[in-house]
Amino acid sequence: MAFKLFTITCLLLPLINLVALATSIDRKPSAFKFLINLQGLQEGDKAQEIPQLRKYLKHFGYLSNTTEIQDTNNVFDQNIAYAIKTYQNFYRLKPTGTLDTATISMMMRPRCGVIDKIHATSNNFSHLLYSYFDDKGRWPKDKRSLTYAFPSGTNEAVNAPVALAFETWRKVVMDFTFTLIDDYASADLKLSFQRGDHGDRYPFDGPNGILAHSFEPPVGILHFDADENFVVDGNPNGYDLGSVALHEIGHLLGLFHSTDEDAIMYPIIPYGETKGLALDDIQGIKNLYSNF
């Protein structure tokens, strides 16, 4: 089942482009398409897309903030090479520090907008690969009955897959309840479809780039990119809304990204596929709320 939604401004959003359905995802417009022109680059090389590469690496946590002059520099410098190597380690690629084919292919895949970079609180390099936010944010014991809401005008077709995603997490952390309410302003968790610069300092980038992003407890905000091709009911011709919601709700509960490809908290959510919780996700959320 495909559907259309209204944003907070009640504008109808074309979530399914019928013409594009016959086209391979690789041939669709992509926010990360600039990366194709960087394939094969290594330290010391120059390219006009390097400032875009810096922006990408900074957004996902691999490159620290730099000066305005450095941001406009078109040189593949030592800092970029180190950032690329860190990225390759996270995604279990050969850590060459160069933009080889496998690395470019991975970097171009649509994904969550929350950063990747391994934190000191992560559980990486063991058989379980989940991680938490720096402050290990989580909901206190007296705040486990959470309400959530969409802005007025959002298509009700989103309700069922999102409710199922909440229920999937509830079955793991059973002292939580999640209740859909109509009052968006008073909800503990505010979910909405946004596009472009929507006021949270993390603008969306158009189709086939950042699919959604969310904020850890107690912020409780989840934004889906309204320009993406979201689908429900197992439709393979888009990004499964339930799977994206399941991932982002993990962030709302306090989980960070995992390097386990099977985990729902892996940053990349494939086009046309559905995902559920893996052992890594289950153990991660249980450990986060164990004896707390």
Side-chain angles (χ1 to χ4, degrees):
M1 174 183 176
F3 58 92
K4 296 179 184 292
L5 304 171
F6 285 92
T7 63
I8 192 169
T9 55
C10 298
L11 295 176
L12 189 62
L13 304 178
L15 296 187
I16 294 296
N17 184 329
L18 297 179
V19 176
L21 292 184
T23 307
S24 165
I25 182 62
D26 292 332
R27 295 172 60 190
K28 291 181 181 180
S30 170
F32 303 149
K33 193 172 183 178
F34 74 92
L35 290 163
I36 294 175
N37 297 327
L38 297 175
Q39 185 166 321
L41 261 64
Q42 57 187 337
E43 187 175 347
D45 290 341
K46 295 183 178 181
Q48 63 181 8
E49 294 86 1
I50 292 295
Q52 289 175 273
L53 176 63
R54 289 181 187 276
K55 183 178 179 180
Y56 179 104
L57 293 169
K58 287 169 66 175
H59 184 103
F60 297 118
Y62 293 98
L63 196 61
S64 62
N65 287 330
T66 55
T67 67
E68 188 174 344
I69 294 177
Q70 286 175 310
D71 284 345
T72 58
N73 193 314
N74 66 354
V75 178
F76 191 120
D77 59 23
Q78 185 177 19
N79 290 331
I80 292 178
Y82 180 80
I84 294 297
K85 190 174 293 187
T86 305
Y87 178 94
Q88 291 165 331
N89 278 322
F90 185 95
Y91 286 96
R92 305 184 187 184
L93 301 170
K94 186 176 181 180
T96 62
T98 65
L99 290 171
D100 51 51
T101 301
T103 303
I104 290 292
S105 177
M106 183 65 75
M107 293 176 74
M108 289 188 65
R109 297 178 70 183
R111 51 158 300 151
C112 170
V114 176
I115 67 173
D116 291 340
K117 190 174 181 182
I118 297 172
H119 284 48
T121 53
S122 73
N123 188 54
N124 290 284
F125 311 116
S126 72
H127 68 290
L128 295 173
L129 303 169
Y130 59 82
S131 61
Y132 305 127
F133 288 88
D134 276 344
D135 57 0
K136 210 171 184 180
R138 50 193 168 185
W139 296 97
K141 284 185 176 180
D142 61 354
K143 193 64 176 175
R144 301 288 172 88
S145 295
L146 300 173
T147 59
Y148 69 96
F150 295 95
S152 175
T154 302
N155 192 304
E156 291 184 0
V158 307
N159 290 352
V162 171
L164 180 58
F166 274 115
E167 176 62 12
T168 300
W169 282 112
R170 189 205 64 78
K171 288 179 178 178
V172 178
V173 279
M174 298 181 66
D175 55 340
F176 275 88
T177 61
F178 304 101
T179 305
L180 175 64
I181 64 173
D182 293 328
D183 189 350
Y184 180 79
S186 67
D188 299 308
L189 307 174
K190 296 175 173 62
L191 287 61
S192 63
F193 290 78
Q194 306 287 344
R195 55 160 46 100
D197 188 348
H198 50 281
D200 64 0
R201 298 185 296 113
Y202 300 99
F204 284 131
D205 51 10
N208 301 308
I210 294 172
L211 303 178
H213 58 221
S214 48
F215 300 83
E216 73 273 25
V219 180
I221 292 175
L222 192 171
H223 294 149
F224 300 95
D225 186 352
D227 286 329
E228 298 296 350
N229 196 38
F230 289 112
V231 294
V232 299
D233 291 347
N235 188 326
N237 297 309
Y239 299 104
D240 181 64
L241 180 65
S243 298
V244 176
L246 193 62
H247 175 99
E248 298 303 332
I249 292 168
H251 289 318
L252 293 179
L253 293 176
L255 283 180
F256 206 55
H257 282 154
S258 171
T259 61
D260 182 349
E261 290 185 56
D262 293 327
I264 194 63
M265 297 314 296
Y266 190 65
I268 293 167
I269 301 173
Y271 183 93
E273 297 182 21
T274 60
K275 288 187 73 173
L277 299 185
L279 175 62
D280 190 75
D281 305 303
I282 294 170
Q283 195 61 57
I285 199 70
K286 284 186 173 181
N287 285 347
L288 180 60
Y289 286 99
S290 176
N291 299 318
F292 179 77

